[in-house]
mmCIF file of all heavy atoms in Angstrom:
data_model
loop_
_atom_site.group_PDB
_atom_site.id
_atom_site.type_symbol
_atom_site.label_atom_id
_atom_site.label_comp_id
_atom_site.label_asym_id
_atom_site.label_seq_id
_atom_site.Cartn_x
_atom_site.Cartn_y
_atom_site.Cartn_z
ATOM 1 N N LYS G 125 -67.789 6.872 -44.402
ATOM 2 C CA LYS G 125 -69.081 7.384 -44.876
ATOM 3 C C LYS G 125 -69.977 7.632 -43.675
ATOM 4 O O LYS G 125 -69.881 6.937 -42.661
ATOM 5 C CB LYS G 125 -69.753 6.393 -45.829
ATOM 6 C CG LYS G 125 -69.029 6.258 -47.147
ATOM 7 C CD LYS G 125 -69.804 5.398 -48.099
ATOM 8 C CE LYS G 125 -69.066 5.339 -49.425
ATOM 9 N NZ LYS G 125 -69.792 4.587 -50.424
ATOM 10 N N LEU G 126 -70.847 8.588 -43.824
ATOM 11 C CA LEU G 126 -71.784 8.938 -42.765
ATOM 12 C C LEU G 126 -72.787 7.811 -42.542
ATOM 13 O O LEU G 126 -73.374 7.293 -43.491
ATOM 14 C CB LEU G 126 -72.535 10.218 -43.141
ATOM 15 C CG LEU G 126 -73.620 10.675 -42.166
ATOM 16 C CD1 LEU G 126 -73.015 11.088 -40.829
ATOM 17 C CD2 LEU G 126 -74.409 11.828 -42.785
ATOM 18 N N LYS G 127 -72.978 7.438 -41.288
ATOM 19 C CA LYS G 127 -74.047 6.506 -40.933
ATOM 20 C C LYS G 127 -75.227 7.309 -40.400
ATOM 21 O O LYS G 127 -76.326 7.210 -40.921
ATOM 22 C CB LYS G 127 -73.585 5.489 -39.895
ATOM 23 C CG LYS G 127 -74.681 4.507 -39.524
ATOM 24 C CD LYS G 127 -74.199 3.445 -38.572
ATOM 25 C CE LYS G 127 -75.368 2.488 -38.276
ATOM 26 N NZ LYS G 127 -74.995 1.495 -37.293
ATOM 27 N N LYS G 128 -74.973 8.138 -39.356
ATOM 28 C CA LYS G 128 -76.073 8.881 -38.751
ATOM 29 C C LYS G 128 -75.545 10.107 -38.020
ATOM 30 O O LYS G 128 -74.565 10.025 -37.293
ATOM 31 C CB LYS G 128 -76.811 7.977 -37.760
ATOM 32 C CG LYS G 128 -77.959 8.640 -37.049
ATOM 33 C CD LYS G 128 -78.577 7.694 -36.044
ATOM 34 C CE LYS G 128 -79.655 8.410 -35.260
ATOM 35 N NZ LYS G 128 -80.174 7.585 -34.186
ATOM 36 N N VAL G 129 -76.211 11.237 -38.201
ATOM 37 C CA VAL G 129 -75.921 12.422 -37.402
ATOM 38 C C VAL G 129 -76.556 12.191 -36.040
ATOM 39 O O VAL G 129 -77.749 11.884 -35.942
ATOM 40 C CB VAL G 129 -76.477 13.703 -38.061
ATOM 41 C CG1 VAL G 129 -76.337 14.886 -37.124
ATOM 42 C CG2 VAL G 129 -75.767 13.974 -39.382
ATOM 43 N N VAL G 130 -75.758 12.335 -34.983
ATOM 44 C CA VAL G 130 -76.236 12.075 -33.628
ATOM 45 C C VAL G 130 -76.740 13.360 -32.984
ATOM 46 O O VAL G 130 -77.814 13.389 -32.398
ATOM 47 C CB VAL G 130 -75.125 11.439 -32.776
ATOM 48 C CG1 VAL G 130 -75.573 11.237 -31.333
ATOM 49 C CG2 VAL G 130 -74.669 10.121 -33.391
ATOM 50 N N ARG G 131 -75.945 14.434 -33.087
ATOM 51 C CA ARG G 131 -76.333 15.722 -32.490
ATOM 52 C C ARG G 131 -75.460 16.828 -33.064
ATOM 53 O O ARG G 131 -74.444 16.570 -33.685
ATOM 54 C CB ARG G 131 -76.226 15.682 -30.968
ATOM 55 C CG ARG G 131 -74.811 15.588 -30.443
ATOM 56 C CD ARG G 131 -74.757 15.550 -28.909
ATOM 57 N NE ARG G 131 -73.457 15.115 -28.458
ATOM 58 C CZ ARG G 131 -73.043 13.858 -28.388
ATOM 59 N NH1 ARG G 131 -73.841 12.887 -28.740
ATOM 60 N NH2 ARG G 131 -71.842 13.561 -27.969
ATOM 61 N N TRP G 132 -75.889 18.057 -32.807
ATOM 62 C CA TRP G 132 -75.107 19.230 -33.187
ATOM 63 C C TRP G 132 -75.362 20.325 -32.176
ATOM 64 O O TRP G 132 -76.356 20.309 -31.454
ATOM 65 C CB TRP G 132 -75.449 19.694 -34.609
ATOM 66 C CG TRP G 132 -76.906 19.988 -34.811
ATOM 67 C CD1 TRP G 132 -77.552 21.150 -34.543
ATOM 68 C CD2 TRP G 132 -77.903 19.096 -35.316
ATOM 69 N NE1 TRP G 132 -78.892 21.046 -34.840
ATOM 70 C CE2 TRP G 132 -79.134 19.789 -35.320
ATOM 71 C CE3 TRP G 132 -77.875 17.778 -35.745
ATOM 72 C CZ2 TRP G 132 -80.309 19.202 -35.754
ATOM 73 C CZ3 TRP G 132 -79.061 17.202 -36.167
ATOM 74 C CH2 TRP G 132 -80.258 17.918 -36.171
ATOM 75 N N THR G 133 -74.426 21.269 -32.146
ATOM 76 C CA THR G 133 -74.567 22.405 -31.233
ATOM 77 C C THR G 133 -75.295 23.529 -31.953
ATOM 78 O O THR G 133 -75.261 23.593 -33.192
ATOM 79 C CB THR G 133 -73.192 22.915 -30.769
ATOM 80 O OG1 THR G 133 -72.445 23.341 -31.926
ATOM 81 C CG2 THR G 133 -72.421 21.836 -30.022
ATOM 82 N N PRO G 134 -75.932 24.431 -31.197
ATOM 83 C CA PRO G 134 -76.502 25.615 -31.849
ATOM 84 C C PRO G 134 -75.381 26.416 -32.507
ATOM 85 O O PRO G 134 -74.266 26.445 -31.988
ATOM 86 C CB PRO G 134 -77.127 26.403 -30.698
ATOM 87 C CG PRO G 134 -77.285 25.419 -29.589
ATOM 88 C CD PRO G 134 -76.191 24.406 -29.761
ATOM 89 N N PRO G 135 -75.647 27.061 -33.630
ATOM 90 C CA PRO G 135 -74.603 27.861 -34.278
ATOM 91 C C PRO G 135 -74.110 28.958 -33.327
ATOM 92 O O PRO G 135 -74.886 29.582 -32.613
ATOM 93 C CB PRO G 135 -75.303 28.467 -35.493
ATOM 94 C CG PRO G 135 -76.463 27.572 -35.741
ATOM 95 C CD PRO G 135 -76.880 27.049 -34.400
ATOM 96 N N ASP G 136 -72.785 29.158 -33.322
ATOM 97 C CA ASP G 136 -72.205 30.213 -32.500
ATOM 98 C C ASP G 136 -72.239 31.534 -33.267
ATOM 99 O O ASP G 136 -72.804 31.615 -34.370
ATOM 100 C CB ASP G 136 -70.789 29.840 -32.045
ATOM 101 C CG ASP G 136 -69.824 29.620 -33.199
ATOM 102 O OD1 ASP G 136 -70.095 30.082 -34.341
ATOM 103 O OD2 ASP G 136 -68.765 29.002 -32.971
ATOM 104 N N ALA G 137 -71.628 32.564 -32.712
ATOM 105 C CA ALA G 137 -71.647 33.892 -33.332
ATOM 106 C C ALA G 137 -70.987 33.898 -34.708
ATOM 107 O O ALA G 137 -71.323 34.721 -35.558
ATOM 108 C CB ALA G 137 -70.964 34.903 -32.409
ATOM 109 N N ALA G 138 -70.063 32.991 -34.926
ATOM 110 C CA ALA G 138 -69.384 32.904 -36.228
ATOM 111 C C ALA G 138 -70.173 32.054 -37.225
ATOM 112 O O ALA G 138 -69.729 31.841 -38.349
ATOM 113 C CB ALA G 138 -67.977 32.334 -36.052
ATOM 114 N N GLY G 139 -71.342 31.553 -36.812
ATOM 115 C CA GLY G 139 -72.148 30.721 -37.703
ATOM 116 C C GLY G 139 -71.629 29.301 -37.808
ATOM 117 O O GLY G 139 -71.821 28.634 -38.816
ATOM 118 N N GLU G 140 -70.964 28.809 -36.764
ATOM 119 C CA GLU G 140 -70.400 27.459 -36.778
ATOM 120 C C GLU G 140 -71.114 26.563 -35.781
ATOM 121 O O GLU G 140 -71.577 27.012 -34.738
ATOM 122 C CB GLU G 140 -68.901 27.500 -36.461
ATOM 123 C CG GLU G 140 -68.091 28.185 -37.546
ATOM 124 C CD GLU G 140 -66.595 28.131 -37.306
ATOM 125 O OE1 GLU G 140 -66.151 27.443 -36.362
ATOM 126 O OE2 GLU G 140 -65.862 28.773 -38.065
ATOM 127 N N THR G 141 -71.185 25.284 -36.126
ATOM 128 C CA THR G 141 -71.769 24.264 -35.271
ATOM 129 C C THR G 141 -70.830 23.068 -35.236
ATOM 130 O O THR G 141 -70.098 22.820 -36.195
ATOM 131 C CB THR G 141 -73.168 23.838 -35.775
ATOM 132 O OG1 THR G 141 -73.694 22.849 -34.898
ATOM 133 C CG2 THR G 141 -73.134 23.279 -37.184
ATOM 134 N N THR G 142 -70.838 22.330 -34.144
ATOM 135 C CA THR G 142 -70.068 21.096 -34.041
ATOM 136 C C THR G 142 -71.041 19.934 -34.131
ATOM 137 O O THR G 142 -72.013 19.872 -33.379
ATOM 138 C CB THR G 142 -69.278 21.032 -32.719
ATOM 139 O OG1 THR G 142 -68.380 22.144 -32.673
ATOM 140 C CG2 THR G 142 -68.483 19.742 -32.620
ATOM 141 N N VAL G 143 -70.769 19.030 -35.055
ATOM 142 C CA VAL G 143 -71.654 17.901 -35.326
ATOM 143 C C VAL G 143 -70.976 16.607 -34.874
ATOM 144 O O VAL G 143 -69.801 16.382 -35.179
ATOM 145 C CB VAL G 143 -71.969 17.813 -36.838
ATOM 146 C CG1 VAL G 143 -72.897 16.654 -37.134
ATOM 147 C CG2 VAL G 143 -72.539 19.128 -37.338
ATOM 148 N N SER G 144 -71.708 15.780 -34.156
ATOM 149 C CA SER G 144 -71.250 14.438 -33.791
ATOM 150 C C SER G 144 -72.002 13.447 -34.657
ATOM 151 O O SER G 144 -73.212 13.588 -34.857
ATOM 152 C CB SER G 144 -71.535 14.150 -32.319
ATOM 153 O OG SER G 144 -70.805 15.024 -31.495
ATOM 154 N N TYR G 145 -71.274 12.434 -35.161
ATOM 155 C CA TYR G 145 -71.915 11.470 -36.051
ATOM 156 C C TYR G 145 -71.254 10.102 -35.933
ATOM 157 O O TYR G 145 -70.108 9.980 -35.507
ATOM 158 C CB TYR G 145 -71.875 11.952 -37.505
ATOM 159 C CG TYR G 145 -70.478 12.099 -38.079
ATOM 160 C CD1 TYR G 145 -69.908 11.078 -38.849
ATOM 161 C CD2 TYR G 145 -69.728 13.252 -37.874
ATOM 162 C CE1 TYR G 145 -68.639 11.203 -39.370
ATOM 163 C CE2 TYR G 145 -68.462 13.393 -38.411
ATOM 164 C CZ TYR G 145 -67.912 12.366 -39.157
ATOM 165 O OH TYR G 145 -66.651 12.491 -39.679
ATOM 166 N N THR G 146 -72.014 9.077 -36.290
ATOM 167 C CA THR G 146 -71.467 7.740 -36.414
ATOM 168 C C THR G 146 -71.195 7.498 -37.900
ATOM 169 O O THR G 146 -71.677 8.238 -38.763
ATOM 170 C CB THR G 146 -72.415 6.668 -35.857
ATOM 171 O OG1 THR G 146 -73.664 6.763 -36.535
ATOM 172 C CG2 THR G 146 -72.610 6.836 -34.349
ATOM 173 N N TYR G 147 -70.426 6.470 -38.183
ATOM 174 C CA TYR G 147 -69.942 6.267 -39.549
ATOM 175 C C TYR G 147 -69.805 4.783 -39.858
ATOM 176 O O TYR G 147 -69.846 3.934 -38.968
ATOM 177 C CB TYR G 147 -68.570 6.945 -39.711
ATOM 178 C CG TYR G 147 -67.544 6.366 -38.760
ATOM 179 C CD1 TYR G 147 -66.740 5.290 -39.136
ATOM 180 C CD2 TYR G 147 -67.421 6.853 -37.465
ATOM 181 C CE1 TYR G 147 -65.842 4.729 -38.252
ATOM 182 C CE2 TYR G 147 -66.531 6.296 -36.575
ATOM 183 C CZ TYR G 147 -65.736 5.227 -36.974
ATOM 184 O OH TYR G 147 -64.858 4.663 -36.084
ATOM 185 N N THR G 148 -69.633 4.506 -41.129
ATOM 186 C CA THR G 148 -69.197 3.191 -41.599
ATOM 187 C C THR G 148 -67.883 3.425 -42.308
ATOM 188 O O THR G 148 -67.558 4.559 -42.689
ATOM 189 C CB THR G 148 -70.218 2.544 -42.560
ATOM 190 O OG1 THR G 148 -70.386 3.398 -43.697
ATOM 191 C CG2 THR G 148 -71.555 2.321 -41.874
ATOM 192 N N ILE G 149 -67.119 2.377 -42.477
ATOM 193 C CA ILE G 149 -65.850 2.522 -43.187
ATOM 194 C C ILE G 149 -65.633 1.325 -44.097
ATOM 195 O O ILE G 149 -65.859 0.178 -43.694
ATOM 196 C CB ILE G 149 -64.655 2.711 -42.220
ATOM 197 C CG1 ILE G 149 -63.355 2.945 -42.999
ATOM 198 C CG2 ILE G 149 -64.528 1.575 -41.231
ATOM 199 C CD1 ILE G 149 -62.204 3.449 -42.172
ATOM 200 N N ALA G 150 -65.246 1.614 -45.311
ATOM 201 C CA ALA G 150 -64.815 0.577 -46.241
ATOM 202 C C ALA G 150 -63.310 0.448 -46.013
ATOM 203 O O ALA G 150 -62.509 1.195 -46.582
ATOM 204 C CB ALA G 150 -65.129 0.978 -47.679
ATOM 205 N N ALA G 151 -62.933 -0.456 -45.109
ATOM 206 C CA ALA G 151 -61.534 -0.595 -44.694
ATOM 207 C C ALA G 151 -60.746 -1.446 -45.676
ATOM 208 O O ALA G 151 -61.270 -2.416 -46.240
ATOM 209 C CB ALA G 151 -61.468 -1.210 -43.300
ATOM 210 N N ALA G 152 -59.490 -1.063 -45.853
ATOM 211 C CA ALA G 152 -58.576 -1.836 -46.699
ATOM 212 C C ALA G 152 -58.371 -3.218 -46.073
ATOM 213 O O ALA G 152 -58.324 -3.341 -44.847
ATOM 214 C CB ALA G 152 -57.241 -1.108 -46.811
ATOM 215 N N PRO G 153 -58.237 -4.252 -46.887
ATOM 216 C CA PRO G 153 -58.057 -5.603 -46.341
ATOM 217 C C PRO G 153 -56.851 -5.725 -45.401
ATOM 218 O O PRO G 153 -56.902 -6.480 -44.433
ATOM 219 C CB PRO G 153 -57.868 -6.469 -47.596
ATOM 220 C CG PRO G 153 -58.535 -5.708 -48.690
ATOM 221 C CD PRO G 153 -58.342 -4.257 -48.345
ATOM 222 N N TRP G 154 -55.797 -4.954 -45.636
ATOM 223 C CA TRP G 154 -54.606 -5.077 -44.791
ATOM 224 C C TRP G 154 -54.872 -4.646 -43.347
ATOM 225 O O TRP G 154 -54.136 -5.040 -42.444
ATOM 226 C CB TRP G 154 -53.415 -4.319 -45.383
ATOM 227 C CG TRP G 154 -53.560 -2.838 -45.511
ATOM 228 C CD1 TRP G 154 -53.947 -2.142 -46.618
ATOM 229 C CD2 TRP G 154 -53.289 -1.862 -44.500
ATOM 230 N NE1 TRP G 154 -53.959 -0.800 -46.354
ATOM 231 C CE2 TRP G 154 -53.549 -0.601 -45.063
ATOM 232 C CE3 TRP G 154 -52.864 -1.924 -43.178
ATOM 233 C CZ2 TRP G 154 -53.388 0.593 -44.355
ATOM 234 C CZ3 TRP G 154 -52.702 -0.747 -42.466
ATOM 235 C CH2 TRP G 154 -52.960 0.491 -43.055
ATOM 236 N N THR G 155 -55.947 -3.903 -43.099
ATOM 237 C CA THR G 155 -56.250 -3.456 -41.737
ATOM 238 C C THR G 155 -56.769 -4.591 -40.851
ATOM 239 O O THR G 155 -56.841 -4.425 -39.635
ATOM 240 C CB THR G 155 -57.278 -2.311 -41.734
ATOM 241 O OG1 THR G 155 -58.523 -2.793 -42.261
ATOM 242 C CG2 THR G 155 -56.805 -1.121 -42.543
ATOM 243 N N ARG G 156 -57.110 -5.725 -41.442
ATOM 244 C CA ARG G 156 -57.620 -6.870 -40.670
ATOM 245 C C ARG G 156 -56.500 -7.692 -40.028
ATOM 246 O O ARG G 156 -56.759 -8.529 -39.170
ATOM 247 C CB ARG G 156 -58.461 -7.777 -41.560
ATOM 248 C CG ARG G 156 -59.740 -7.121 -42.010
ATOM 249 C CD ARG G 156 -60.640 -8.092 -42.776
ATOM 250 N NE ARG G 156 -61.476 -7.348 -43.685
ATOM 251 C CZ ARG G 156 -61.334 -7.320 -45.016
ATOM 252 N NH1 ARG G 156 -60.410 -8.044 -45.598
ATOM 253 N NH2 ARG G 156 -62.126 -6.588 -45.758
ATOM 254 N N ASP G 157 -55.273 -7.475 -40.457
ATOM 255 C CA ASP G 157 -54.132 -8.232 -39.937
ATOM 256 C C ASP G 157 -53.800 -7.771 -38.513
ATOM 257 O O ASP G 157 -53.719 -6.568 -38.246
ATOM 258 C CB ASP G 157 -52.924 -8.020 -40.861
ATOM 259 C CG ASP G 157 -51.725 -8.796 -40.393
ATOM 260 O OD1 ASP G 157 -51.629 -9.994 -40.712
ATOM 261 O OD2 ASP G 157 -50.888 -8.197 -39.677
ATOM 262 N N SER G 158 -53.579 -8.727 -37.613
ATOM 263 C CA SER G 158 -53.328 -8.378 -36.206
ATOM 264 C C SER G 158 -52.044 -7.572 -36.027
ATOM 265 O O SER G 158 -51.998 -6.669 -35.177
ATOM 266 C CB SER G 158 -53.306 -9.636 -35.339
ATOM 267 O OG SER G 158 -52.261 -10.495 -35.739
ATOM 268 N N ALA G 159 -51.018 -7.851 -36.802
ATOM 269 C CA ALA G 159 -49.777 -7.069 -36.692
ATOM 270 C C ALA G 159 -50.010 -5.631 -37.154
ATOM 271 O O ALA G 159 -49.512 -4.680 -36.540
ATOM 272 C CB ALA G 159 -48.662 -7.724 -37.502
ATOM 273 N N ALA G 160 -50.794 -5.460 -38.217
ATOM 274 C CA ALA G 160 -51.121 -4.108 -38.691
ATOM 275 C C ALA G 160 -51.943 -3.370 -37.642
ATOM 276 O O ALA G 160 -51.745 -2.171 -37.407
ATOM 277 C CB ALA G 160 -51.875 -4.166 -40.017
ATOM 278 N N GLN G 161 -52.852 -4.067 -36.989
ATOM 279 C CA GLN G 161 -53.674 -3.449 -35.944
ATOM 280 C C GLN G 161 -52.809 -2.961 -34.782
ATOM 281 O O GLN G 161 -53.088 -1.926 -34.185
ATOM 282 C CB GLN G 161 -54.739 -4.438 -35.456
ATOM 283 C CG GLN G 161 -55.777 -4.730 -36.515
ATOM 284 C CD GLN G 161 -56.659 -5.926 -36.190
ATOM 285 O OE1 GLN G 161 -56.425 -6.669 -35.238
ATOM 286 N NE2 GLN G 161 -57.676 -6.128 -37.014
#
Side-chain angles (χ1 to χ4, degrees):
K125 291 186 178 183
L126 176 66
K127 180 176 181 184
K128 179 183 175 186
V129 172
V130 176
R131 69 180 165 279
W132 56 85
T133 60
D136 60 19
E140 293 185 7
T141 180
T142 300
V143 181
S144 296
Y145 63 97
T146 57
Y147 61 91
T148 60
I149 183 167
W154 63 264
T155 64
R156 293 186 207 108
D157 181 83
S158 62
Q161 292 167 351

